[in-house]
Every structure is written in C-alpha cells, then in structure tokens.
Amino acid sequence: MKVCGNTDIGLVRKSNEDDYCVTKNRNGDWLAVVCDGIGGSQAGEVASHIAVNCIYEEFMKAPDLSKDKRVSAFIQESLNKANDKIYTKSMHNKKQRGMGTTCVGVIITKKGTYIFNVGDSRLYALYPDGFIQMSEDHSVIAQLLKEGKLSYEEAKGHAQRNTLTSALGVWRVYRMDLHKIANNFKALILC
C-alpha cells in the first residue's frame, strides 16, 4: 500500500488549522485521519491536533478489529474521547472557548474498509470511472441541497455556505457517519 500526506495553509488563512495521521498498528490495520480546525474559530489548530492525537493513541492500542461491531464501537469511542477532550479543554481556557474541528477518516482491516466523518471534511474513492465522494457534508448548505430547498448555483454564494451542523469539540453531542465500503477502489483521498 502506498500512502502520502500533506498539509498546506492555502490562499485564505493566516494559520494552518489542519492536522493528519496515517499509520499502521500492531494488528496490521491501517488508519488515515484528517482534521480541519474550524476556520475563524478560536484555536482550531489546537482542536484538530487534539483530535488526531487522541484517535492515533486509541488506534495504536486498539483491540482486534476483525468484526464490524468492534470497528464501529472503536470509532465511536475514539471520537467520543476526542470530542470530550476538545470540549473540556475549551471550557477551561477562554481563548480556546468554542474551538472545534471536522474529522474524516478511514480504517482498513483484513475484513473491510470503514470510513467515518464529522463535519465537512471529505473522503473520495477512485473507481475505474473516476472519483466518487463517499462522505456526506454536515453543513447547512448540504442539508438545504438534500432537501431541494437550494440549487447548486445558489449554494455557491449563500451566506451560510461555511456553517457546519456537526463538529468535534463544539458541542457535547455531534453527528458522525460511519460506513463500510467494498475494497474494490483504486485509491482513497481524505481532504
């Protein structure tokens, strides 16, 4: 398996709020996770770093992930811990209050590939006919598009185009999507 990762400040922000990890554990399972601190929020880079480190630490001591239920429970517990750490840290530091991060990840085991996301960081899979977006954005715009209340053209300039409906660390409760996908992809991109 070939893996690579990179992060870039981009053309708009003054600081880079992204963090990521790609690693293999003692069981031979792979983890790739990308977190993007919420832009314009207090200490987004702190939130993304906490989330990536928490998920990495849990993954490195993960039990055998040979059953779907174990993988599901592991991902949920890891994200819960990350969410709690970020939320608690933000409550103890006024400068970090309200910090949060999006999160997208994949765990590849001998039994399957599991993708998960919170917020609007995305996962794409490459198939013979091209890339397909495998994650669903948790945002006001995505919801309005899904409900047919907004066109793609209207979404481009909408006032709430950057408003998330879920993120780690901002609220005690968050939405997480988790899916098992077939291993017939050529490549995965987390961004």
Side-chain angles (χ1 to χ4, degrees), residues 33-38 41 43-44 46-48 50-52 54-55 75-88 90 98-104 116-120 138 164-176:
V33 63
V34 171
C35 292
D36 180 4
I38 296 173
S41 193
V46 175
S48 63
I50 291 171
V52 167
C54 185
I55 296 165
I75 292 169
Q76 189 67 63
E77 289 168 15
S78 297
L79 293 181
N80 285 346
K81 285 181 182 181
N83 189 64
D84 290 346
K85 282 184 178 184
I86 296 164
Y87 186 82
T88 300
S90 75
M99 70 175 170
T101 186
T102 66
C103 181
V104 63
F116 57 94
N117 73 292
V118 178
D120 64 354
H138 303 152
L164 297 175
T165 56
S166 187
L168 292 177
V170 179
W171 307 280
R172 280 269 182 217
V173 178
Y174 61 92
R175 173 183 166 195
M176 185 260 303

Side-chain angles (χ1 to χ4, degrees), residues 8 17-18 42 51 55 80 82 141 144 184:
D8 186 85
E17 297 181 337
D18 303 339
Q42 299 278 354
I55 296 165
N80 285 346
I141 293 298
L144 291 172
N184 60 345

